[in-house]
Amino acid sequence: MKKFSKIIVAILLVSILAVSLFACINPGGEVDKSGYMTLVVLDEDNTKEYSVDLSTLGSGDDKKTGLMTVLDYLKNKGELTYTSQSSSYGDYLTQVNGIKEGTGVYVALYTDVKSDISMGEWATTITYKDKTCTSSDFGASSMSVVAGCTIIITKGTY
């Protein structure tokens, strides 16, 4: 019986470690095929709001996922500019319109998609036109884009 309980404890321990290892990986990056979403680029006095028909996406780079699909679509239409770098965690935004990373400044992402919001102690919120969005725990390519959602891109500082 003692040997059996040790095996059960070992299996439970390995299971808990495996789950905790992969708990922070977001399979997200999915984009709904219909409906509209709102993208706001909040850049001090130069705020731009885009209403994006999700059924029109897919005309850009098919390798893009998540929010990068929306950004690529708007960039191809000439409605915004962005630059990004690839990393092992997905695409990292370095510039969106006038928001550019630099000393103490980064491109910050906020969302109202519950699966993507930060639950950590450093989570912050932004309210735009009565819509409250919370900082995202994920990069742009891992963020989910769902019908009716709002995603805000703005300048973050540290």
Side-chain angles (χ1 to χ4, degrees):
M1 186 70 167
K2 213 174 199 182
K3 187 177 184 180
F4 183 68
S5 63
K6 285 182 182 180
I7 291 171
I8 296 291
V9 169
I11 289 172
L12 286 173
L13 184 60
V14 169
S15 298
I16 290 170
L17 288 173
V19 168
S20 65
L21 256 177
F22 297 104
C24 292
I25 297 175
N26 184 23
E30 297 176 13
V31 179
D32 280 355
K33 301 290 184 214
S34 63
Y36 286 82
M37 67 85 60
T38 302
L39 174 68
V40 179
V41 180
L42 196 57
D43 183 16
E44 295 168 5
D45 294 332
N46 192 20
T47 298
K48 298 273 187 176
E49 182 177 321
Y50 306 91
S51 179
V52 180
D53 180 353
L54 300 176
S55 68
T56 62
L57 299 179
S59 60
D61 184 347
D62 290 335
K63 295 177 185 168
K64 301 287 184 186
T65 59
L67 178 59
M68 295 304 292
T69 305
V70 174
L71 294 174
D72 193 52
Y73 171 77
L74 292 171
K75 183 177 183 177
N76 287 339
K77 286 182 63 178
E79 294 187 23
L80 65 69
T81 61
Y82 81 86
T83 57
S84 64
Q85 295 176 339
S86 290
S87 77
S88 58
Y89 299 105
D91 291 332
Y92 170 75
L93 291 171
T94 56
Q95 174 266 323
V96 178
N97 288 348
I99 301 167
K100 195 176 223 176
E101 77 170 352
T103 305
V105 176
Y106 63 97
V107 178
L109 303 172
Y110 290 80
T111 184
D112 64 355
V113 177
K114 289 192 187 304
S115 62
D116 292 353
I117 64 172
S118 177
M119 301 303 273
E121 67 179 274
W122 301 106
T124 56
T125 60
I126 287 181
T127 302
Y128 175 80
K129 290 188 176 178
D130 297 327
K131 188 74 140 182
T132 300
C133 293
T134 304
S135 50
S136 176
D137 258 349
F138 305 105
S141 59
S142 296
M143 291 178 71
S144 300
V145 178
V146 299
C149 79
T150 299
I151 296 176
I152 298 173
I153 301 173
T154 191
K155 184 187 334 178
T157 58
Y158 56 92

